[in-house]
Amino acid sequence: MATEYGQDYGFGGGPGLSADGGSRRHRLPAGLRAPFEARSLREFGYVLLGLPIGITLFVYAVTMMALGAGLLVTFVGVPVLAAGLAGCRGFGALERARARGLLGLDVASPEPLRVPKAGAMAWMGAVLKSGASWRSLLYGVLYLPWSVFSFCVALTFWTVGWTTLTYPLWFWVFPTYVGQGGIQLYGDETHRIYLDNPFEITVTALVGLLITLVTPWIVRALTTVDRVMVYGLLGPSRLATRVVELESDRGVVVDTAAADLRRIERDLHDGAQARLVSLAMDLGLAKEKLREDPQAAARMVDEAHGEVKTALQELRDLARGIHPAVLTDRGLDAALSSVASRCTVPVRVEVDLSERPASAIEGIAYFTVSELLQNVSKHARATAAAVEVWRAENRLMLLVVDNGVGGADASAGSGLAGLAERLDAVDGILVVDSPVGGPTRITAELPWRTEPVRR
């Protein structure tokens, strides 16, 4: 749909150039660079370290759990189990640090222990009831077989690849047999085949080159499983992550509501309230002059009448800013058309919705488009803009396009950042595509919700 707008309004961009002025095409392809990249060496080192660490984790976890389970008939078993789980959590912290340093995987710490009161018994109970503790134990048990497999695969491919690639440099060290030397490929006592002539040596080196180029990608696939295990077993649970997100969203909603209330209070105090106070004073003066100078009083009443009209208009604008009546009565299509008519550039509005979303989502969509069109009027220096609204499965999609100068950035602490926070508070997303020189395409996604049926 953004392409359609580009065709309608001439929102075109120049040919794509890399940041280094096109020199990127002269660099080696990624497949040839992979064996020598620092990332590949770090990932290979991660796999090699995995075997001794996996053995240590497995021995510790199994020993402590078996010892604790065996001692459960006595009081000693509970402290041993708690100590074993606490040690597994400690190993989990070390594994997250190793993944962060070698794989670049930044995994947040799991939810902390919730100890209701001081004391050893309360601490042991918290450790035993913690899901993160048992996930760390499961990681220690499962990581050993995987580390053995990944260690063997990675080391085999790496060794075979570099050995055969450098074969032309060292094949001569093998002793000759009836004038032949090099690696014996196959054969028996009466008939032996050696890799010793130039053609065979070249083919061996080429096979080694192929294996060497493939090895980093195999290691990368192996470390992908490691990433999943670290993220899934040593990070916070989905429930805890969701709770943190909801707490953050609640804070954003509270702050946004407080800011809106302050804005409404300021607008009332500085606008309509001040105008009404002035109106009351003018009417009081007119009342005093009514008998002495009826004409002056009539002029003052006429001026007061104008002030009343202005105050009413300000109150209407304030009410429209809170929740426009046209949105409630006629929906997004009419409300967005009204907003577009107040924009300083021509705006094309298309709303393709078979039904209306929930009023809360509808209100957020309205204010999102209103804010974006205000940015177009104030900052874009555009000559045309377009707004499109449609539903994609369980998401309400908003697209605002303009052919202005571009350069909008939601991460720069601008109004777009606040708008992104508001959308995030309701599980929405704001995506800004605004290269310098334009065009600007801003896409907003909101969850599709409908009003509950009341009986």
Side-chain angles (χ1 to χ4, degrees), residues 186-253:
Y186 64 89
D188 50 24
E189 293 295 331
T190 60
H191 186 69
R192 300 180 182 182
I193 302 299
Y194 292 87
L195 300 176
D196 60 346
N197 63 61
F199 174 76
E200 294 172 345
I201 294 173
T202 303
V203 171
T204 302
L206 291 176
V207 172
L209 176 62
L210 178 62
I211 296 175
T212 302
L213 294 177
V214 170
T215 298
W217 304 102
I218 294 176
V219 174
R220 194 158 298 174
L222 295 173
T223 55
T224 299
V225 179
D226 288 290
R227 294 170 188 270
V228 173
M229 292 181 64
V230 172
Y231 184 83
L233 296 177
L234 300 182
S237 64
R238 291 186 177 182
L239 178 59
T241 303
R242 185 58 179 164
V243 169
V244 172
E245 290 178 354
L246 291 176
E247 290 178 349
S248 175
D249 293 345
R250 182 182 61 184
V252 172
V253 170

Side-chain angles (χ1 to χ4, degrees), residues 54-127:
I55 294 173
T56 304
L57 283 174
F58 184 84
V59 171
Y60 174 83
V62 172
T63 301
M64 294 298 291
M65 291 303 103
L67 182 61
L71 294 175
L72 280 179
V73 294
T74 66
F75 177 75
V76 181
V78 175
V80 172
L81 283 176
L85 290 175
C88 289
R89 288 178 68 104
F91 277 117
L94 295 177
E95 283 295 274
R96 288 194 300 273
R98 184 167 72 101
R100 187 181 306 112
L102 296 178
L103 299 182
L105 179 64
D106 192 5
V107 179
S109 300
E111 54 273 19
L113 293 177
R114 298 184 180 273
V115 184
K117 57 183 180 179
M121 292 299 297
W123 178 83
M124 287 187 290
V127 172

Side-chain angles (χ1 to χ4, degrees), residues 316-401:
R316 290 193 191 98
D317 293 339
L318 182 61
R320 186 184 297 114
I322 298 173
H323 195 85
V326 65
L327 178 63
T328 303
D329 298 337
R330 301 174 57 189
L332 275 174
D333 195 354
L336 295 183
S337 297
S338 176
V339 172
S341 66
R342 298 194 296 270
C343 189
T344 58
V345 301
V347 181
R348 179 163 66 92
V349 178
E350 292 186 9
V351 179
D352 183 14
L353 297 176
S354 58
E355 59 178 328
R356 295 179 62 174
S359 58
I361 299 300
E362 200 173 49
I364 295 174
Y366 170 83
F367 290 115
T368 299
V369 175
S370 178
E371 181 77 15
L372 294 176
L373 289 182
Q374 286 183 19
N375 289 342
V376 172
S377 299
K378 295 178 181 178
H379 310 295
R381 286 185 279 172
T383 58
V387 175
E388 183 152 342
V389 181
W390 72 98
R391 178 181 179 180
E393 297 181 354
N394 61 341
R395 306 290 285 182
L396 177 63
M397 308 295 296
L398 313 172
L399 177 65
V400 179
V401 186

